[in-house]
Amino acid sequence: MEFTFEHIVSLLRGGGEELFAEADRVRRLTVGDGIHLRGLIEYTNICHKNCLYCGIRRDSRVARYTLTDDQVIASVRYAVEQGFGSVVIQGGEICAEAHVEAIERIVRRISGMDGPAVVLSLGEQTAGTYRRWFDAGASRYLLRIESSDPALYARIHPADHSFDRRLEALRDLRRTGYEVGTGVMIGLPWQSVESLAHDLLFMRKFDIDMCGMGPYLECDGTPLASFAHETQGSQQWRGELTLRMIAILRLMMPDINIASTTALQAISPDMRLRGLSCGANVAMPNISPSELRANYVLYDNKPVGIDPRILEMARPNGVNPRGRSMRFMRRECNVI
Ligand code: SAH
Ligand code: SF4
């Protein structure tokens, strides 16, 4: 089906059970019945950026930490024991050489374990850094565009954060050879349904391999939290809108990987589960050392623990055990 802007807007406004059931059917048909599990390791909450919505922004007064190499490897071992196909190393954006080297070293160690695929989510970096991490063994990268509308992007970031630079980083990732994931926050202040429709069209035009999108959740003390009155609807409503975004994207791009994010679970325990039955096929359980999780707070009410119902949905996948994006395989490797 050809998804026009008008069609997407009308589904975002009115899509219900029929839309969800169709997305679930298409998901099972194209990327399979089982859910892929990707262990989330929150590597550091140090960040040199100052995004107006984020709890670990440079100006936040939180206790900062960085995991040791051994702590990361212990989490990866846990992921291997649990049978997870991939791990994500996520953290604040730091461009210092010591950080670039540390990630390179850790990625090399994980690759040597013949373990899960390594996904990185460490912000905007130079093309050279992306290349070094890729050569060390990282194969996927998550970098959300946050909003594809440059004007909205400018309102939720300080003046020295650049939309064009972010786009360039996404292009660098693609050129380097990564499976590229992006996504947006849903229910941001000043964001319209039309703007979200453009976000979905942006993702199709960029031909992304993976998507992670979730509701925007206020984080106390951040500049954007004080614009609560400008925010479009309750958190519950933002969650419902996120489910519609997931379902529509599944129909627009049937063979990509779509995550049902932790932020959905923060609204209610069932929301993330619902995401997995309306188009999403990836869940990202947090496997960071538990004593440090309290310091990695991007938004309020962050959930802890792995929902056992999600573990049940993950079935061993003999054909694609590491949960690669089918879209990527079709485009880059000419397989399937
Ligand atoms: N520093 C890296 C990765 C960590 S932040 C980066 O920015 O890419 C990961 C994601 O958390 C961001 O892309 C953003 O979309 C999300 N996030 C941050 N603050 C949030 C909030 N208040 N509500 C919902 N999502 C948020
Ligand atoms: Fe840093 Fe990412 Fe948070 Fe922005 S969203 S402040 S880059 S951790």
Side-chain angles (χ1 to χ4, degrees):
M1 191 193 301
E2 177 55 33
F3 280 84
T4 60
F5 173 73
E6 289 74 20
H7 188 197
I8 297 170
V9 168
S10 80
L11 285 174
L12 282 173
R13 290 225 164 86
E17 287 315 316
E18 220 170 285
L19 168 68
F20 295 156
E22 179 60 6
D24 193 42
R25 193 186 68 80
V26 168
R27 191 266 294 175
R28 286 169 198 278
L29 215 65
T30 51
V31 292
D33 257 350
I35 298 300
H36 297 296
L37 295 177
R38 188 190 280 158
L40 175 64
I41 302 170
E42 294 158 338
Y43 174 65
T44 181
N45 67 353
I46 299 174
C47 187
H48 294 166
K49 279 223 167 155
N50 223 358
C51 306
L52 301 182
Y53 42 83
C54 178
I56 62 169
R57 62 199 295 272
R58 191 177 60 217
D59 290 352
S60 275
R61 266 182 263 134
V62 288
R64 305 285 174 171
Y65 75 88
T66 301
L67 299 185
T68 63
D69 293 16
D70 288 344
Q71 280 173 318
V72 176
I73 298 301
S75 297
V76 175
R77 288 219 176 87
Y78 175 77
V80 173
E81 280 161 24
Q82 297 292 315
F84 295 180
S86 60
V87 290
V88 195
I89 301 178
Q90 192 186 64
E93 186 175 307
I94 309 168
C95 300
E97 174 58 24
H99 173 72
V100 175
E101 256 176 49
I103 298 297
E104 198 175 19
R105 191 174 63 229
I106 289 168
V107 173
R108 253 186 232 295
R109 255 179 94 177
I110 303 174
S111 309
M113 290 163 68
D114 195 24
V118 181
V119 189
L120 299 178
S121 176
L122 298 163
E124 293 161 26
Q125 302 286 342
T126 63
T129 296
Y130 287 149
R131 162 60 59 192
R132 279 170 67 181
W133 291 344
F134 185 80
D135 289 344
S139 55
R140 309 177 195 166
Y141 206 102
L142 305 172
L143 184 70
R144 288 183 175 179
I145 190 72
E146 315 294 2
S147 166
S148 66
D149 172 358
L152 179 55
Y153 188 92
R155 290 186 90 165
I156 62 170
H157 292 98
D160 61 350
H161 292 27
S162 157
F163 178 81
D164 290 339
R165 174 72 196 92
R166 196 135 188 114
L167 263 185
E168 193 51 36
L170 279 169
R171 291 197 195 103
D172 285 342
L173 288 165
R174 168 60 47 80
R175 278 193 283 264
T176 309
Y178 285 95
E179 281 178 50
V180 179
T182 194
V184 295
M185 283 178 286
I186 295 160
L188 285 162
W190 312 291
Q191 188 182 46
S192 63
V193 164
E194 286 76 8
S195 174
L196 288 168
H198 281 299
D199 290 339
L200 292 174
L201 290 168
F202 167 86
M203 291 185 225
R204 184 171 68 184
K205 185 157 175 232
F206 195 86
D207 196 15
I208 60 170
D209 304 304
M210 307 180 275
C211 178
M213 50 191 171
Y216 160 65
L217 302 170
E218 290 84 359
C219 184
D220 205 25
T222 57
L224 212 61
S226 57
F227 287 102
H229 55 289
E230 304 270 6
T231 301
Q232 310 286 298
S234 65
Q235 290 197 352
Q236 183 68 29
W237 183 83
R238 289 177 234 164
E240 299 286 341
L241 196 52
T242 300
L243 297 179
R244 274 180 246 143
M245 288 282 284
I246 289 174
I248 299 166
L249 186 63
R250 171 60 68 203
L251 298 178
M252 290 171 71
M253 304 187 75
D255 55 358
I256 64 170
N257 278 344
I258 305 180
S260 190
T261 56
T262 327
L264 261 182
Q265 193 184 350
I267 294 180
S268 85
D270 284 344
M271 271 277 178
R272 181 155 75 167
L273 216 56
R274 283 179 64 199
L276 294 169
S277 56
C278 71
N281 68 324
V282 175
M284 293 170 54
N286 192 328
I287 56 167
S288 310
S290 50
E291 66 276 14
L292 292 169
R293 282 186 210 166
N295 292 329
Y296 194 92
V297 178
L298 304 173
Y299 44 78
D300 296 339
N301 298 325
K302 193 180 111 175
V304 285
I306 305 178
D307 188 330
R309 293 173 296 180
I310 288 183
L311 293 181
E312 267 168 40
M313 292 172 83
R315 261 165 254 136
N317 186 324
V319 185
N320 183 16
R322 289 175 160 193
R324 288 188 89 178
S325 162
M326 298 280 202
R327 175 94 213 126
F328 180 84
M329 287 200 271
R330 288 206 176 99
R331 182 181 348 94
E332 307 289 327
C333 317
N334 291 327
V335 293
I336 311 182

